[in-house]
Amino acid sequence: MNPIVILKHEHKIIMNHIFLLDDMAFSVSVNETDFSSVFRALVEVWDQHEIKEELLFSVLAEEGYNVPVENIKFEHGELRKFKDIILEAINSGDEEKFKNMLKNVCGKMIDLLRAHTFAEEDILQNVSWEQLSEETLDKIKLLQILPHKDLLEN
């Protein structure tokens, strides 16, 4: 599986988690344990995925592809802030803090992550593994981008 396909498949995993979180966050009653479990599963994929993206997108930008690397890194930073706030609320055990996070933070994080993922998908749609130069392929292969364990199980 080439790195472009890996990132696309990981985007699907991320979007599945976003869908579940969105559904939970805006339901009448939220099971904190279920929400926490889904969010932690998202974070597990997300943390490694960001690193892979930044490495791959940097190489593609160096090779002349139209990849807004600095914007992607900025959005990753913004998303990490949301992630930290949500994890803090989950880990606090404070029901009021958890409810406040759902009301004021979760929807914003979901919207940004969804838009961010769609924008990255647009970038990846414009890159064909078969059309990359040998030099670019060699640089990408050196990154050793491996799929998330969920992709290996399927």
Side-chain angles (χ1 to χ4, degrees):
M1 196 179 312
N2 75 56
I4 295 168
V5 171
I6 290 170
L7 293 182
K8 287 180 177 183
H9 283 301
E10 289 179 357
H11 280 159
K12 289 178 186 172
I13 294 170
I14 289 167
M15 292 303 283
N16 286 338
H17 290 316
I18 291 171
F19 176 79
L20 292 171
L21 290 171
D22 195 26
D23 195 42
M24 283 187 222
F26 296 103
S27 68
V28 175
S29 64
V30 179
N31 181 310
E32 289 183 41
T33 303
D34 290 347
F35 183 92
S36 173
S37 177
V38 173
F39 191 76
R40 290 178 195 282
L42 169 63
V43 167
E44 182 196 353
V45 176
W46 177 0
D47 285 344
Q48 292 300 311
H49 182 79
E50 276 187 352
I51 295 167
K52 295 173 197 177
E53 283 179 338
E54 288 180 11
L55 291 169
L56 178 64
F57 288 155
S58 292
V59 168
L60 292 174
E62 287 172 12
E63 297 301 310
Y65 284 85
N66 186 17
V67 181
V69 175
E70 292 309 312
N71 187 52
I72 289 169
K73 288 181 180 182
F74 174 79
E75 286 183 359
H76 284 173
E78 293 299 301
L79 287 164
R80 276 192 293 278
K81 291 176 191 174
F82 284 124
K83 177 184 74 174
D84 292 344
I85 293 168
I86 293 169
L87 286 172
E88 182 182 326
I90 289 170
N91 293 332
S92 73
D94 181 333
E95 186 177 346
E96 201 55 42
K97 191 171 193 171
F98 183 81
K99 287 179 180 178
N100 187 45
M101 173 274 296
L102 287 176
K103 180 180 175 188
N104 298 312
V105 178
C106 191
K108 292 175 187 173
M109 186 274 306
I110 288 169
D111 289 345
L112 179 57
L113 185 54
R114 184 178 284 133
H116 178 80
T117 302
F118 286 144
E120 289 175 343
E121 277 294 305
D122 285 344
I123 292 167
L124 293 172
Q125 288 301 114
N126 292 316
V127 179
S128 170
W129 185 255
E130 293 76 25
Q131 294 179 347
L132 294 173
S133 70
E134 282 300 316
E135 182 180 331
T136 302
L137 289 172
D138 289 342
K139 288 179 183 179
I140 292 171
K141 288 174 186 173
L142 287 174
L143 300 175
Q144 298 183 357
I145 294 176
L146 301 174
H148 185 266
K149 65 181 174 76
D150 289 354
L151 293 175
L152 296 174
E153 294 170 2
N154 292 330

